[in-house]
Amino acid sequence: MTYGALTFRSLLLCGAVASSVAGCDGPERYRSSFDQRVLPPPIATRQQPTPLTAGDEVKQVQADLPPVEPGPGSPSGGDPPLALGDGRNASGPLSLPAAVALAYRFQPRLRVFLEGVVQARGAESVAVAPFLPSAVAGYSVGGFDLNAGGAAQPVGTGSPNFTFLPFTGAIPVGLNLNTGYELAELRVQWLLADFGRRMGRYQQAQLGVDVAQLQTDRAYQTVANEVALAYYQALRARSLKRIADEAVRRAEDDRDVAKKLEKGGVLEREKVLRADVLLSQALKGQDAAEAGVSVAVAALNLAIGLNVNAPTEVLVPPDLPEFGRTLADCLGQAVIERRELEVAQLSIQSAQAGGRVARAEFRPRVVAGGSLLDFQQSDPRGHSDLAVGFIKLEWGLFEGGRRVGEIRIADSKTRAAAAQAEALADTIAFQVNETYRTLIVARRGIERSKPAVEQAREAYRLLRARAAKGDATPAELTEAETALTRAEQDFLNSTYDYLTALARLNFSMGLPPVPTNQTAPPLGPADKTPRLGGRGESNPLRLPLPS
């Protein structure tokens, strides 16, 4: 065996070992426990659920529900927040920017889009491969038995007699070989030109990376918007709970006053019963408000990516954000910031690149290649080396209409992408219009709900003074309490409707709901009158933000 053959076989062996190691290095198996995501924090960190045995039976018992505030899983005044085993908990009360920052860390849906970017970059690497040469190596060991006999076919005077085997060639008569062999081969091929096929697919892969990145950016904006909406809903539920608690307190005071007047012979028993009914109704409202707080906090945890059962606390924003944009400004901002418009443009470009690929199928392909064969025969000893190089032109002349159909499909995809882009632009314009009008109405509603609160409080104060003297009927007192509760709820809903509408408008324009580089400080007891002003207002209205 020659030195060149030994070197060639050594290289083949090294390449085979390296390829085997790289191919056997598979991805790690994904195995994760979902206990931390489903179970409440005390159970998830301290104990595991016990499965039912065969003899266990399900029995109906009376539910003894703990109070919601404070509950066994809720932090009390001086206790630190309960830590979760997987770290998905808030270390303290959250401001809206802090909640958005936590969502960027813990929200699993964002990881889906980030992996989509990785996959798009992998597809780009695949699209680069046709520009590079490909090499295939092979090595085989075996044996063969060749026995040529039969009637000889004379070729010429003085030449040996040969026989002809189809697909093999001429073989001397009487040749008898029974031996083993080794065959090492190396084939190299390089596509020199395909007139736009590779380039079109590579451009599509590049556009796919850009699209994946833009979609990921929009996903971050979507998560931030969902967190903002859930955050404001949690604040709304907490404020409604406070109003319900105040309504219960007022109803208890009225019942106590009615009982005292009954003992003094001023009121009838029916009036006291009516006060009890009013208290029962207030307690039902309080129960509904408590449930609303729990659901709102769970929804906020879901939007952030925390444990749904975590006792997350939120901070009241120190100020109502100002808004002074016109509708034209909002529409112009949406054209600049909305990622979907850029995705639509890239989709059109990708469809156009697909059309160029389909038309390139009518053009030829130029391929260069080469083969190197090393054949070693054991008995009788012999070898044969063969090196071949070539340049080949391939041109498909007729394929039954496949290429024409691909061109039609590519052109149709381009037109469809353009139509989708137009529909998307119209949808974005409608979203901005809708959220802008809603924001304007919500902002005006704050000012127009404030006089009702002041009037209801004054009317209730006067009725309480009259009721203490026995001059007010229970029906009047009930009506005043109901009017005050309704006015406070209306003002509260108007305030959070404005914050929610502002977050939705920012999302429709492609902006974050709040500046994530600023953290709102806690609202102190001495300053609970945030400013609500706009561009061009000389005297901004000062409105109290419900706690």
Side-chain angles (χ1 to χ4, degrees):
M1 187 180 298
T2 63
Y3 175 76
L6 288 174
T7 303
F8 179 56
R9 297 184 181 209
S10 300
L11 292 175
L12 285 179
L13 181 61
C14 294
V17 172
S19 300
S20 300
V21 172
C24 294
D25 186 16
E28 298 180 359
R29 296 183 59 186
Y30 178 80
R31 184 177 181 85
S32 176
S33 175
F34 296 101
D35 295 344
Q36 304 290 348
R37 308 196 73 92
V38 178
L39 298 178
I43 299 179
T45 56
R46 300 172 188 172
Q47 62 183 2
Q48 297 296 328
T50 304
L52 294 177
T53 60
D56 292 338
E57 296 180 356
V58 178
K59 300 180 180 180
Q60 294 184 354
V61 296
Q62 182 178 2
D64 187 11
L65 299 178
V68 177
E69 292 183 359
S74 302
S76 59
D79 297 335
L82 184 62
L84 303 184
D86 57 353
R88 295 182 305 109
N89 69 309
S91 59
L94 293 178
S95 63
L96 181 53
V100 173
L102 273 182
Y104 287 167
R105 291 174 50 197
F106 294 124
Q107 181 54 247
R109 286 182 298 160
L110 295 179
R111 296 200 297 268
V112 175
F113 286 91
L114 292 175
E115 293 299 331
V117 176
V118 175
Q119 296 170 13
R121 289 173 178 168
E124 184 181 14
S125 301
V126 173
V128 174
F131 289 92
L132 304 176
S134 61
V136 179
Y139 182 78
S140 60
V141 179
F144 64 91
D145 184 5
L146 177 61
N147 186 4
Q153 300 293 330
V155 179
T157 305
S159 61
N161 294 326
F162 285 86
T163 183
F164 182 79
L165 296 180
F167 309 106
T168 302
I171 300 177
V173 175
L175 178 62
N176 187 3
L177 293 177
N178 187 359
T179 180
Y181 76 92
E182 298 179 27
L183 176 63
E185 54 184 335
L186 176 64
R187 293 187 176 89
V188 179
Q189 185 170 329
W190 197 343
L191 179 60
L192 299 180
D194 62 355
F195 299 96
R197 293 182 182 89
R198 296 174 297 177
M199 184 56 66
R201 295 189 180 97
Y202 178 67
Q203 291 175 351
Q204 285 182 313
Q206 285 182 319
L207 294 173
V209 174
D210 296 337
V211 168
Q213 292 175 344
L214 290 172
Q215 289 175 342
T216 302
D217 192 7
R218 186 57 175 171
Y220 273 82
Q221 294 180 355
T222 301
V223 168
N225 176 70
E226 293 175 354
V227 170
L229 297 182
Y231 188 92
Y232 292 140
Q233 183 60 31
L235 289 175
R236 184 198 302 262
R238 191 180 69 174
S239 298
L240 290 176
K241 170 67 166 52
R242 181 186 58 80
I243 293 176
D245 294 340
E246 185 67 19
V248 170
R249 186 191 62 80
R250 290 194 298 262
E252 290 176 346
D253 293 344
D254 294 341
R255 183 195 58 180
D256 295 339
V257 171
K259 286 183 176 181
K260 291 179 180 179
L261 294 177
E262 180 193 14
K263 291 181 180 180
V266 179
L267 291 181
E268 300 84 0
R269 176 64 180 169
E270 189 272 337
K271 308 299 183 181
V272 178
L273 294 177
R274 183 175 298 183
D276 291 335
V277 171
L278 179 62
L279 177 59
S280 299
Q281 293 176 349
L283 289 173
K284 288 178 61 177
Q286 186 184 42
D287 294 338
E290 289 178 352
V293 170
S294 300
V295 173
V297 171
L300 177 61
N301 291 332
L302 179 63
I304 296 176
L306 304 178
N307 189 300
V308 176
N309 306 282
T312 305
E313 295 291 334
V314 292
L315 295 176
V316 179
D319 293 303
L320 284 176
E322 298 182 357
F323 181 81
R325 294 177 181 268
T326 63
L327 180 58
D329 295 336
C330 296
L331 292 172
Q333 192 71 30
V335 172
I336 298 174
E337 299 293 341
R338 283 297 290 265
R339 302 298 186 264
E340 293 92 331
L341 294 176
E342 299 182 39
V343 171
Q345 293 176 353
L346 294 178
S347 299
I348 297 175
Q349 297 177 15
S350 179
Q352 292 173 344
R356 291 193 293 269
V357 172
R359 286 172 174 80
E361 292 292 333
F362 285 92
R363 302 186 182 97
R365 299 170 71 247
V366 181
V367 181
S371 300
L372 178 61
L373 303 178
D374 178 25
F375 180 81
Q376 299 290 333
Q377 180 177 301
S378 60
D379 186 21
R381 192 66 181 175
H383 74 278
S384 175
D385 296 332
L386 175 64
V388 179
F390 63 90
I391 295 180
K392 180 173 62 174
L393 178 68
E394 297 179 356
W395 202 337
L397 299 180
F398 179 72
E399 297 185 12
R402 178 187 64 85
R403 294 174 293 184
V404 176
E406 289 178 349
I407 289 179
R408 292 175 179 173
I409 293 174
D411 293 342
S412 177
K413 288 182 177 179
T414 302
R415 293 191 296 269
Q420 289 178 351
E422 294 177 359
L424 178 62
D426 295 340
T427 301
I428 290 176
F430 170 75
Q431 291 174 352
V432 174
N433 272 273
E434 181 185 24
T435 53
Y436 182 84
R437 302 300 179 187
T438 304
L439 176 67
I440 296 302
V441 172
R443 185 178 179 183
R444 294 172 179 171
I446 296 177
E447 303 179 34
R448 292 168 182 171
S449 60
K450 185 178 179 181
V453 176
E454 296 177 354
Q455 186 273 334
R457 287 176 179 172
E458 181 65 18
Y460 179 72
R461 186 187 66 80
L462 295 176
L463 279 174
R464 284 294 305 275
R466 291 171 51 193
K469 301 177 181 179
D471 295 339
T473 63
E476 293 176 339
L477 193 60
T478 300
E479 182 180 356
E481 289 181 352
T482 304
L484 177 57
T485 302
R486 187 182 299 113
E488 289 178 343
Q489 291 177 346
D490 184 51
F491 173 72
L492 170 71
N493 288 327
S494 298
T495 303
Y496 287 109
D497 284 345
Y498 170 75
L499 294 173
T500 301
L502 182 58
R504 288 176 175 169
L505 178 59
N506 287 332
F507 179 70
S508 66
M509 291 189 297
L511 300 176
V514 290
T516 55
N517 58 350
Q518 297 179 3
T519 303
L523 186 61
D527 184 12
K528 293 190 178 180
T529 56
R531 297 176 62 86
L532 175 64
R535 187 177 301 173
E537 296 183 1
S538 57
N539 295 317
L541 178 65
R542 298 181 60 86
L543 294 175
L545 189 62
S547 59

